[in-house]
Amino acid sequence: MRKHIVAGNWKMNNTFNEADDLLNSIMEQLEEKELPRDTQVIVCPPFPFLEMTSDYANDSYFMVGAQNVSDQEKGAYTGEVSAAMLESMEIDYCIVGHSERRAYYGETNKTVAAKVDQLLKHGLKPIVCVGEVLEEREANRQFEVVKQQVEEGLFHLDAEHLQQVVIAYEPVWAIGTGKTATPEQAQEIHHYIRTLLAQKYGDAVANEISILYGGSCKPSNAKELFACPDIDGGLIGGASLKAEDFIGIVTAF
Ligand code: PEP
């Protein structure tokens, strides 16, 4: 059975003390809940707070993710952080290809593929984001766009490596806009992605890959989204910055 995952992407938010307070509240509230055994909670803070977040990590349900990684192994790349560095800090996951990285920092499907390779080489699990922008949705091009992102970002992998990957479908028009995809819209694309994976790698592999939904997910809509058969959890932006909202989503399965 594939894992249920809720991953919080803090983006470029919080100072050191704010991050510490938020982590304390999240852990306090998590400890009061009894999560189903297949549920995994991931917090992806900015790089400077990875270490403090790691202090809370355990091998069962609470894990740590980075928000970005270099596509290069090491060397003269000022300001970059390598997969080897994340590995040496025992970071478990890393977001790749987030729409903000694609839009503001020129991350392409080719860069995504290179970052995925770096992460897998160093034993981290990539959370690979795909999703169409509003004009593409309005032109009914969402399937074609997502297909290209999945194929060019991931299809160079063999089945064994693909099974280390988590995919996040994030329609860009729903990110930070308060506008959520309906469960039907989200399920349709999640099912499509799983079909693409099945065609390339077979049903057994496709059924093992967790596919998360992202885009204005909150406690009030998480339940109906997570109830869809191909939605295995969420990648959460804004709502991951408030412990109560984040835990409300974690407990929505
Ligand atoms: C995101 O940026 O990955 C995201 C899902 O953001 P939000 O939840 O704020 O829409």
Side-chain angles (χ1 to χ4, degrees), residues 9 11 98-100 170 174-177 214-217 235-239:
N9 173 12
K11 310 192 183 183
H98 190 279
S99 60
E100 287 150 17
E170 302 204 297
I175 294 182
T177 57
S216 299
C217 188
L235 179 55
I236 317 299

Side-chain angles (χ1 to χ4, degrees), residues 46-149:
F47 287 127
F49 311 143
L50 278 173
E51 190 172 354
M52 73 157 88
T53 310
S54 286
D55 289 343
Y56 293 95
N58 55 44
D59 284 337
S60 52
Y61 65 90
F62 187 80
M63 312 241 160
V64 186
Q67 295 176 20
N68 188 26
V69 69
S70 173
D71 57 351
Q72 303 293 325
E73 178 69 31
K74 66 184 285 194
Y77 300 99
T78 303
E80 291 291 285
V81 170
S82 72
M85 293 172 190
L86 298 176
E87 179 187 22
S88 68
M89 292 180 69
E90 298 183 7
I91 304 303
D92 308 290
Y93 287 88
C94 182
I95 299 170
V96 183
H98 190 279
S99 60
E100 287 150 17
R101 304 267 348 149
R102 292 180 189 261
Y104 310 145
Y105 301 98
E107 204 153 294
T108 62
N109 293 334
K110 200 170 158 209
T111 334
V112 170
K115 291 185 175 193
V116 165
D117 289 345
Q118 280 296 323
L119 291 168
L120 292 173
K121 181 176 170 196
H122 290 281
L124 280 94
K125 294 181 168 59
I127 302 174
V128 178
C129 303
V130 298
E132 79 285 357
V133 300
L134 185 61
E135 303 83 76
E136 291 163 343
R137 167 66 62 167
E138 285 173 347
N140 203 28
R141 291 187 52 227
Q142 62 272 23
F143 297 102
E144 168 197 335
V145 170
V146 166
K147 181 172 193 269
Q148 193 172 1
Q149 290 170 332

Side-chain angles (χ1 to χ4, degrees), residues 173-191:
W173 46 271
I175 294 182
T177 57
K179 205 173 162 190
T180 320
T182 63
E184 293 74 25
Q185 284 173 321
Q187 166 58 23
E188 186 180 36
I189 302 278
H190 281 238
H191 180 70

